[in-house]
Amino acid sequence: MIEICSKCGNYDWDKEVTGNVIRCPKCGDEWEFRLMPLFILTGCSGVGKTTTAIDIMRRNVDFVVLDADILSGFVNWEDEESCNDWIETIICLSKDIMQSGKPVLWTMAGCLDRLPRAYNNRYISKINCLALVCEEEALIKRMREGRGITDENWIKGSCDYNRYFMEHDSLEDTTFDKYNITGKTPKDVADYVIDWVARNI
């Protein structure tokens, strides 16, 4: 919404953005916007992203917490354009929410590699990713006992993805920090994430 020109009504995605100033190429009008960082809490299925987000949401924090899964029902994961549209929607919503003065943290497992290529990134000062990781034995226990997951392919896929996060610092052009949650309580993890956000604002 912030890219819509209030002078000529230009809705097109053709605005020129320099720093925190938007310029409409049709009428030349310029306006400022809040340029803020975007935060992504990632990790494999079952590692505790949602549990952490819920804990954070119950506190008085200076950022907005959202789950990217709320938009996943519109995504065809086999179609590259659909996945790109999903990422664009996430960032587009974020930039509008940020105009309230609060940055946004999304919980999101996949499509991290698409974040740096998003068109709407020009409205974001920086994308910060934090991957929650876990020792494999503890992860399997969380999935089987904590969530009741019995699908062995699902468990294996999560373990493989978790192992990738543990062994790497980036996924293509998307770099990420990581935090090992093995043996940590939900409060411990939420405390860490809140501090991580504060350090990167």
Side-chain angles (χ1 to χ4, degrees):
M1 187 162 53
I2 61 169
E3 74 277 11
I4 299 171
C5 180
S6 59
K7 184 175 181 180
C8 73
N10 178 9
Y11 273 69
D12 294 337
W13 286 25
D14 60 355
K15 307 306 182 300
E16 300 163 8
V17 179
T18 305
N20 70 328
V21 177
I22 301 170
R23 182 182 181 277
C24 176
K26 288 187 169 62
C27 70
D29 195 34
E30 294 184 351
W31 60 97
E32 294 184 357
F33 69 101
R34 283 192 170 104
L35 184 66
M36 305 186 78
L38 176 65
F39 296 92
I40 305 293
L41 183 64
T42 191
C44 69
S45 179
V47 79
K49 300 183 299 294
T50 301
T51 299
T52 301
I54 291 171
D55 193 300
I56 294 171
M57 290 173 71
R58 290 172 175 161
R59 306 189 194 189
N60 185 24
V61 294
D62 292 326
F63 56 93
V64 176
V65 181
L66 296 169
D67 182 358
D69 282 350
I70 62 173
L71 302 172
S72 64
F74 305 99
V75 185
N76 175 1
W77 300 109
E78 304 300 320
D79 180 67
E80 184 172 345
E81 186 174 340
S82 181
C83 293
N84 289 339
D85 288 345
W86 181 61
I87 292 296
E88 290 290 358
T89 300
I90 287 169
I91 298 178
C92 191
L93 281 171
S94 299
K95 69 177 172 52
D96 285 343
I97 293 169
M98 289 172 184
Q99 302 317 298
S100 68
K102 291 189 174 186
V104 180
L105 179 142
W106 290 86
T107 61
M108 188 173 81
C111 295
L112 298 179
D113 57 313
R114 301 169 192 271
L115 288 166
R117 302 194 298 268
Y119 179 81
N120 276 294
N121 277 353
R122 58 213 194 118
Y123 300 104
I124 306 293
S125 62
K126 184 183 178 187
I127 297 176
N128 302 274
C129 295
L130 175 65
L132 301 183
V133 297
C134 187
E135 299 302 324
E136 190 162 303
E137 184 178 337
L139 175 62
I140 293 171
K141 183 176 181 180
R142 291 173 68 96
M143 295 187 74
R144 286 185 174 153
E145 297 179 13
R147 293 186 57 185
I149 296 170
T150 58
D151 185 329
E152 293 301 321
N153 288 328
W154 185 354
I155 293 171
K156 182 184 181 303
S158 286
C159 288
D160 291 345
Y161 200 30
N162 178 67
R163 195 175 308 113
Y164 182 91
F165 281 120
M166 294 189 79
E167 295 174 355
H168 299 83
D169 296 312
S170 65
L171 181 60
E172 294 190 11
D173 293 331
T174 302
T175 59
F176 51 82
D177 300 321
K178 48 193 159 186
Y179 181 61
N180 193 325
I181 61 128
T182 307
K184 303 290 195 304
T185 67
K187 180 184 182 303
D188 293 335
V189 183
D191 287 344
Y192 185 89
V193 173
I194 291 169
D195 181 65
W196 172 76
V197 170
R199 284 186 275 113
N200 287 283
I201 289 179

Short mmCIF file of all heavy atoms in Angstrom, two decimals, residues 1-47:
data_model
loop_
_atom_site.label_atom_id
_atom_site.label_comp_id
_atom_site.label_asym_id
_atom_site.label_seq_id
_atom_site.Cartn_x
_atom_site.Cartn_y
_atom_site.Cartn_z
N MET A 1 0.81 -1.21 0.00
CA MET A 1 0.00 0.00 0.00
C MET A 1 0.85 1.27 0.00
O MET A 1 0.48 2.26 -0.60
CB MET A 1 -0.92 -0.01 1.21
CG MET A 1 -1.93 1.11 1.24
SD MET A 1 -3.31 0.79 2.36
CE MET A 1 -2.49 0.39 3.89
N ILE A 2 2.01 1.24 0.67
CA ILE A 2 2.80 2.46 0.77
C ILE A 2 3.35 2.91 -0.58
O ILE A 2 3.74 4.07 -0.73
CB ILE A 2 3.98 2.31 1.76
CG1 ILE A 2 4.95 1.21 1.30
CG2 ILE A 2 3.49 2.07 3.17
CD1 ILE A 2 6.25 1.19 2.07
N GLU A 3 3.36 2.02 -1.58
CA GLU A 3 3.90 2.40 -2.89
C GLU A 3 2.84 3.02 -3.79
O GLU A 3 3.16 3.44 -4.91
CB GLU A 3 4.53 1.19 -3.57
CG GLU A 3 3.56 0.17 -4.12
CD GLU A 3 3.07 -0.82 -3.06
OE1 GLU A 3 3.32 -0.61 -1.86
OE2 GLU A 3 2.42 -1.81 -3.45
N ILE A 4 1.58 3.09 -3.35
CA ILE A 4 0.54 3.71 -4.16
C ILE A 4 0.67 5.23 -4.09
O ILE A 4 0.75 5.81 -3.01
CB ILE A 4 -0.86 3.28 -3.67
CG1 ILE A 4 -1.02 1.76 -3.80
CG2 ILE A 4 -1.96 4.00 -4.44
CD1 ILE A 4 -2.27 1.21 -3.13
N CYS A 5 0.69 5.86 -5.23
CA CYS A 5 0.85 7.33 -5.28
C CYS A 5 -0.47 8.01 -4.94
O CYS A 5 -1.48 7.82 -5.63
CB CYS A 5 1.32 7.75 -6.67
SG CYS A 5 1.56 9.54 -6.82
N SER A 6 -0.47 8.80 -3.89
CA SER A 6 -1.70 9.49 -3.47
C SER A 6 -1.99 10.70 -4.34
O SER A 6 -3.10 11.23 -4.31
CB SER A 6 -1.58 9.92 -2.00
OG SER A 6 -0.47 10.78 -1.83
N LYS A 7 -1.02 11.13 -5.15
CA LYS A 7 -1.23 12.30 -6.00
C LYS A 7 -1.91 11.93 -7.32
O LYS A 7 -2.89 12.57 -7.73
CB LYS A 7 0.10 13.00 -6.29
CG LYS A 7 -0.05 14.28 -7.10
CD LYS A 7 1.29 15.00 -7.24
CE LYS A 7 1.13 16.29 -8.03
NZ LYS A 7 2.44 17.00 -8.19
N CYS A 8 -1.42 10.89 -7.99
CA CYS A 8 -2.00 10.52 -9.29
C CYS A 8 -2.70 9.17 -9.27
O CYS A 8 -3.30 8.76 -10.26
CB CYS A 8 -0.93 10.55 -10.38
SG CYS A 8 0.25 9.18 -10.30
N GLY A 9 -2.62 8.47 -8.13
CA GLY A 9 -3.29 7.19 -8.01
C GLY A 9 -2.60 6.03 -8.70
O GLY A 9 -3.21 4.99 -8.93
N ASN A 10 -1.32 6.19 -9.01
CA ASN A 10 -0.57 5.14 -9.69
C ASN A 10 -0.40 3.92 -8.78
O ASN A 10 0.26 3.98 -7.75
CB ASN A 10 0.81 5.69 -10.10
CG ASN A 10 1.68 4.65 -10.78
OD1 ASN A 10 1.22 3.56 -11.10
ND2 ASN A 10 2.93 5.00 -10.99
N TYR A 11 -1.00 2.80 -9.18
CA TYR A 11 -0.95 1.55 -8.42
C TYR A 11 0.17 0.63 -8.90
O TYR A 11 0.44 -0.40 -8.30
CB TYR A 11 -2.28 0.80 -8.53
CG TYR A 11 -3.32 1.21 -7.52
CD1 TYR A 11 -3.93 2.46 -7.58
CD2 TYR A 11 -3.70 0.33 -6.51
CE1 TYR A 11 -4.90 2.84 -6.66
CE2 TYR A 11 -4.68 0.69 -5.58
CZ TYR A 11 -5.27 1.94 -5.67
OH TYR A 11 -6.23 2.32 -4.74
N ASP A 12 0.79 0.97 -10.02
CA ASP A 12 1.77 0.06 -10.63
C ASP A 12 3.02 -0.13 -9.76
O ASP A 12 3.39 0.75 -8.98
CB ASP A 12 2.20 0.60 -12.00
CG ASP A 12 1.06 0.59 -13.01
OD1 ASP A 12 0.11 -0.19 -12.79
OD2 ASP A 12 1.11 1.36 -13.98
N TRP A 13 3.67 -1.28 -9.96
CA TRP A 13 4.90 -1.59 -9.22
C TRP A 13 6.10 -0.97 -9.94
O TRP A 13 7.07 -1.64 -10.26
CB TRP A 13 5.09 -3.10 -9.13
CG TRP A 13 4.17 -3.78 -8.17
CD1 TRP A 13 2.95 -3.35 -7.74
CD2 TRP A 13 4.42 -5.02 -7.52
NE1 TRP A 13 2.41 -4.25 -6.86
CE2 TRP A 13 3.29 -5.29 -6.70
CE3 TRP A 13 5.46 -5.94 -7.54
CZ2 TRP A 13 3.19 -6.44 -5.92
CZ3 TRP A 13 5.36 -7.08 -6.77
CH2 TRP A 13 4.24 -7.31 -5.97
N ASP A 14 6.04 0.31 -10.24
CA ASP A 14 7.11 0.94 -11.03
C ASP A 14 7.78 2.09 -10.29
O ASP A 14 8.46 2.91 -10.89
CB ASP A 14 6.53 1.47 -12.35
CG ASP A 14 5.43 2.50 -12.14
OD1 ASP A 14 5.04 2.74 -10.98
OD2 ASP A 14 4.95 3.08 -13.14
N LYS A 15 7.61 2.14 -8.99
CA LYS A 15 8.13 3.27 -8.23
C LYS A 15 9.66 3.21 -8.13
O LYS A 15 10.27 2.15 -8.14
CB LYS A 15 7.54 3.31 -6.81
CG LYS A 15 6.02 3.26 -6.77
CD LYS A 15 5.36 4.32 -7.62
CE LYS A 15 3.84 4.29 -7.52
NZ LYS A 15 3.24 3.03 -7.94
N GLU A 16 10.25 4.39 -8.04
CA GLU A 16 11.68 4.49 -7.83
C GLU A 16 11.91 4.65 -6.33
O GLU A 16 11.30 5.51 -5.70
CB GLU A 16 12.24 5.68 -8.60
CG GLU A 16 12.00 5.58 -10.11
CD GLU A 16 12.17 6.92 -10.81
OE1 GLU A 16 12.61 7.89 -10.16
OE2 GLU A 16 11.84 6.99 -12.02
N VAL A 17 12.77 3.83 -5.75
CA VAL A 17 13.01 3.86 -4.31
C VAL A 17 14.49 4.15 -4.06
O VAL A 17 15.36 3.44 -4.54
CB VAL A 17 12.61 2.52 -3.65
CG1 VAL A 17 12.89 2.57 -2.15
CG2 VAL A 17 11.14 2.22 -3.91
N THR A 18 14.74 5.21 -3.30
CA THR A 18 16.10 5.57 -2.90
C THR A 18 16.10 5.75 -1.39
O THR A 18 15.48 6.70 -0.88
CB THR A 18 16.57 6.86 -3.58
OG1 THR A 18 16.44 6.71 -5.01
CG2 THR A 18 18.03 7.15 -3.23
N GLY A 19 16.78 4.84 -0.68
CA GLY A 19 16.75 4.92 0.77
C GLY A 19 15.33 4.74 1.27
O GLY A 19 14.69 3.73 1.01
N ASN A 20 14.82 5.76 1.99
CA ASN A 20 13.45 5.69 2.50
C ASN A 20 12.52 6.66 1.76
O ASN A 20 11.52 7.12 2.31
CB ASN A 20 13.42 5.99 4.00
CG ASN A 20 13.71 7.44 4.31
OD1 ASN A 20 14.48 8.09 3.58
ND2 ASN A 20 13.12 7.97 5.36
N VAL A 21 12.84 6.94 0.49
CA VAL A 21 12.01 7.84 -0.32
C VAL A 21 11.51 7.11 -1.55
O VAL A 21 12.27 6.44 -2.26
CB VAL A 21 12.81 9.09 -0.74
CG1 VAL A 21 11.97 9.98 -1.66
CG2 VAL A 21 13.27 9.89 0.48
N ILE A 22 10.21 7.24 -1.79
CA ILE A 22 9.57 6.64 -2.97
C ILE A 22 9.24 7.77 -3.94
O ILE A 22 8.73 8.82 -3.55
CB ILE A 22 8.27 5.91 -2.58
CG1 ILE A 22 8.56 4.81 -1.55
CG2 ILE A 22 7.59 5.32 -3.82
CD1 ILE A 22 7.31 4.19 -0.94
N ARG A 23 9.50 7.54 -5.22
CA ARG A 23 9.16 8.51 -6.25
C ARG A 23 8.28 7.87 -7.30
O ARG A 23 8.56 6.77 -7.78
CB ARG A 23 10.42 9.07 -6.92
CG ARG A 23 10.13 10.13 -7.98
CD ARG A 23 11.40 10.63 -8.65
NE ARG A 23 11.09 11.64 -9.64
CZ ARG A 23 10.69 11.38 -10.89
NH1 ARG A 23 10.54 10.13 -11.29
NH2 ARG A 23 10.42 12.38 -11.73
N CYS A 24 7.18 8.55 -7.65
CA CYS A 24 6.28 8.06 -8.69
C CYS A 24 6.81 8.52 -10.05
O CYS A 24 6.95 9.73 -10.28
CB CYS A 24 4.87 8.60 -8.47
SG CYS A 24 3.71 8.16 -9.80
N PRO A 25 7.10 7.60 -10.98
CA PRO A 25 7.63 8.00 -12.29
C PRO A 25 6.59 8.64 -13.20
O PRO A 25 6.94 9.30 -14.17
CB PRO A 25 8.12 6.67 -12.88
CG PRO A 25 7.25 5.64 -12.24
CD PRO A 25 6.99 6.13 -10.85
N LYS A 26 5.31 8.49 -12.85
CA LYS A 26 4.26 9.05 -13.70
C LYS A 26 4.02 10.54 -13.44
O LYS A 26 3.83 11.32 -14.36
CB LYS A 26 2.96 8.27 -13.52
CG LYS A 26 3.00 6.88 -14.16
CD LYS A 26 1.65 6.20 -14.10
CE LYS A 26 1.62 4.95 -14.96
NZ LYS A 26 2.58 3.92 -14.53
N CYS A 27 4.05 10.93 -12.14
CA CYS A 27 3.77 12.34 -11.83
C CYS A 27 4.93 13.04 -11.12
O CYS A 27 4.89 14.26 -10.94
CB CYS A 27 2.50 12.46 -10.99
SG CYS A 27 2.69 11.83 -9.29
N GLY A 28 5.93 12.28 -10.70
CA GLY A 28 7.10 12.88 -10.05
C GLY A 28 6.95 13.13 -8.57
O GLY A 28 7.88 13.63 -7.93
N ASP A 29 5.79 12.81 -8.00
CA ASP A 29 5.60 13.02 -6.57
C ASP A 29 6.52 12.10 -5.76
O ASP A 29 6.82 10.98 -6.17
CB ASP A 29 4.13 12.75 -6.19
CG ASP A 29 3.79 13.30 -4.81
OD1 ASP A 29 4.34 14.35 -4.43
OD2 ASP A 29 2.97 12.67 -4.11
N GLU A 30 6.97 12.61 -4.61
CA GLU A 30 7.85 11.84 -3.74
C GLU A 30 7.29 11.79 -2.32
O GLU A 30 6.65 12.75 -1.89
CB GLU A 30 9.26 12.45 -3.69
CG GLU A 30 9.99 12.38 -5.01
CD GLU A 30 11.42 12.92 -4.87
OE1 GLU A 30 11.76 13.50 -3.81
OE2 GLU A 30 12.20 12.77 -5.84
N TRP A 31 7.52 10.69 -1.62
CA TRP A 31 7.09 10.58 -0.23
C TRP A 31 8.02 9.63 0.52
O TRP A 31 8.65 8.76 -0.09
CB TRP A 31 5.63 10.13 -0.13
CG TRP A 31 5.30 8.81 -0.75
CD1 TRP A 31 5.21 7.61 -0.12
CD2 TRP A 31 5.01 8.56 -2.13
NE1 TRP A 31 4.87 6.62 -0.99
CE2 TRP A 31 4.74 7.17 -2.24
CE3 TRP A 31 4.95 9.35 -3.28
CZ2 TRP A 31 4.42 6.57 -3.46
CZ3 TRP A 31 4.63 8.75 -4.48
CH2 TRP A 31 4.37 7.39 -4.56
N GLU A 32 8.09 9.83 1.83
CA GLU A 32 8.96 9.01 2.66
C GLU A 32 8.19 7.84 3.27
O GLU A 32 6.96 7.87 3.39
CB GLU A 32 9.57 9.85 3.78
CG GLU A 32 10.53 10.93 3.29
CD GLU A 32 11.19 11.69 4.42
OE1 GLU A 32 10.86 11.41 5.61
OE2 GLU A 32 12.03 12.55 4.15
N PHE A 33 8.93 6.79 3.64
CA PHE A 33 8.34 5.65 4.34
C PHE A 33 9.34 5.14 5.37
O PHE A 33 10.52 5.48 5.34
CB PHE A 33 7.97 4.53 3.35
CG PHE A 33 9.15 3.84 2.72
CD1 PHE A 33 9.58 2.60 3.18
CD2 PHE A 33 9.83 4.43 1.66
CE1 PHE A 33 10.67 1.96 2.61
CE2 PHE A 33 10.93 3.80 1.08
CZ PHE A 33 11.35 2.56 1.55
N ARG A 34 8.85 4.34 6.31
CA ARG A 34 9.73 3.74 7.32
C ARG A 34 10.46 2.55 6.71
O ARG A 34 9.84 1.59 6.27
CB ARG A 34 8.94 3.30 8.55
CG ARG A 34 8.52 4.43 9.46
CD ARG A 34 7.99 3.86 10.79
NE ARG A 34 7.81 4.87 11.79
CZ ARG A 34 6.61 5.36 12.15
NH1 ARG A 34 5.52 4.91 11.57
NH2 ARG A 34 6.52 6.29 13.09
N LEU A 35 11.79 2.63 6.71
CA LEU A 35 12.63 1.56 6.18
C LEU A 35 13.15 0.76 7.36
O LEU A 35 13.94 1.28 8.16
CB LEU A 35 13.79 2.17 5.38
CG LEU A 35 14.73 1.22 4.65
CD1 LEU A 35 14.00 0.48 3.54
CD2 LEU A 35 15.92 2.00 4.09
N MET A 36 12.71 -0.48 7.49
CA MET A 36 13.04 -1.28 8.67
C MET A 36 13.50 -2.68 8.26
O MET A 36 13.25 -3.14 7.15
CB MET A 36 11.82 -1.39 9.59
CG MET A 36 11.25 -0.05 10.01
SD MET A 36 9.93 -0.22 11.24
CE MET A 36 10.91 -0.50 12.71
N PRO A 37 14.17 -3.40 9.18
CA PRO A 37 14.60 -4.77 8.88
C PRO A 37 13.47 -5.78 9.00
O PRO A 37 12.51 -5.56 9.74
CB PRO A 37 15.68 -5.03 9.94
CG PRO A 37 15.28 -4.18 11.10
CD PRO A 37 14.67 -2.95 10.50
N LEU A 38 13.60 -6.86 8.26
CA LEU A 38 12.65 -7.97 8.30
C LEU A 38 13.34 -9.15 8.98
O LEU A 38 14.53 -9.40 8.76
CB LEU A 38 12.25 -8.36 6.88
CG LEU A 38 11.33 -9.58 6.72
CD1 LEU A 38 9.97 -9.32 7.34
CD2 LEU A 38 11.19 -9.93 5.24
N PHE A 39 12.61 -9.89 9.80
CA PHE A 39 13.17 -11.01 10.54
C PHE A 39 12.45 -12.31 10.17
O PHE A 39 11.22 -12.35 10.11
CB PHE A 39 13.08 -10.77 12.04
CG PHE A 39 13.88 -9.58 12.50
CD1 PHE A 39 13.30 -8.32 12.57
CD2 PHE A 39 15.23 -9.72 12.81
CE1 PHE A 39 14.05 -7.21 12.96
CE2 PHE A 39 15.98 -8.63 13.20
CZ PHE A 39 15.39 -7.37 13.28
N ILE A 40 13.24 -13.35 9.93
CA ILE A 40 12.71 -14.66 9.59
C ILE A 40 13.21 -15.66 10.61
O ILE A 40 14.43 -15.81 10.80
CB ILE A 40 13.15 -15.11 8.18
CG1 ILE A 40 12.78 -14.06 7.12
CG2 ILE A 40 12.58 -16.48 7.85
CD1 ILE A 40 11.31 -13.88 6.88
N LEU A 41 12.29 -16.35 11.27
CA LEU A 41 12.63 -17.44 12.18
C LEU A 41 12.38 -18.73 11.42
O LEU A 41 11.24 -19.05 11.08
CB LEU A 41 11.78 -17.38 13.45
CG LEU A 41 12.09 -18.44 14.52
CD1 LEU A 41 13.50 -18.24 15.08
CD2 LEU A 41 11.06 -18.39 15.63
N THR A 42 13.44 -19.46 11.12
CA THR A 42 13.32 -20.63 10.27
C THR A 42 13.83 -21.89 10.97
O THR A 42 14.21 -21.85 12.13
CB THR A 42 14.05 -20.39 8.92
OG1 THR A 42 13.71 -21.43 8.01
CG2 THR A 42 15.57 -20.33 9.11
N GLY A 43 13.83 -22.97 10.24
CA GLY A 43 14.22 -24.26 10.78
C GLY A 43 13.30 -25.34 10.25
O GLY A 43 12.27 -25.05 9.64
N CYS A 44 13.66 -26.58 10.50
CA CYS A 44 12.88 -27.69 9.96
C CYS A 44 11.55 -27.86 10.71
O CYS A 44 11.34 -27.27 11.78
CB CYS A 44 13.69 -28.99 10.06
SG CYS A 44 13.93 -29.56 11.76
N SER A 45 10.68 -28.66 10.14
CA SER A 45 9.41 -28.98 10.78
C SER A 45 9.66 -29.69 12.10
O SER A 45 10.48 -30.60 12.18
CB SER A 45 8.59 -29.89 9.85
OG SER A 45 7.38 -30.25 10.44
N GLY A 46 8.99 -29.24 13.16
CA GLY A 46 9.10 -29.88 14.46
C GLY A 46 10.16 -29.31 15.37
O GLY A 46 10.27 -29.72 16.53
N VAL A 47 10.95 -28.35 14.89
CA VAL A 47 12.05 -27.84 15.70
C VAL A 47 11.59 -26.83 16.76
O VAL A 47 12.31 -26.56 17.72
CB VAL A 47 13.16 -27.23 14.81
CG1 VAL A 47 12.78 -25.83 14.33
CG2 VAL A 47 14.50 -27.22 15.52
#
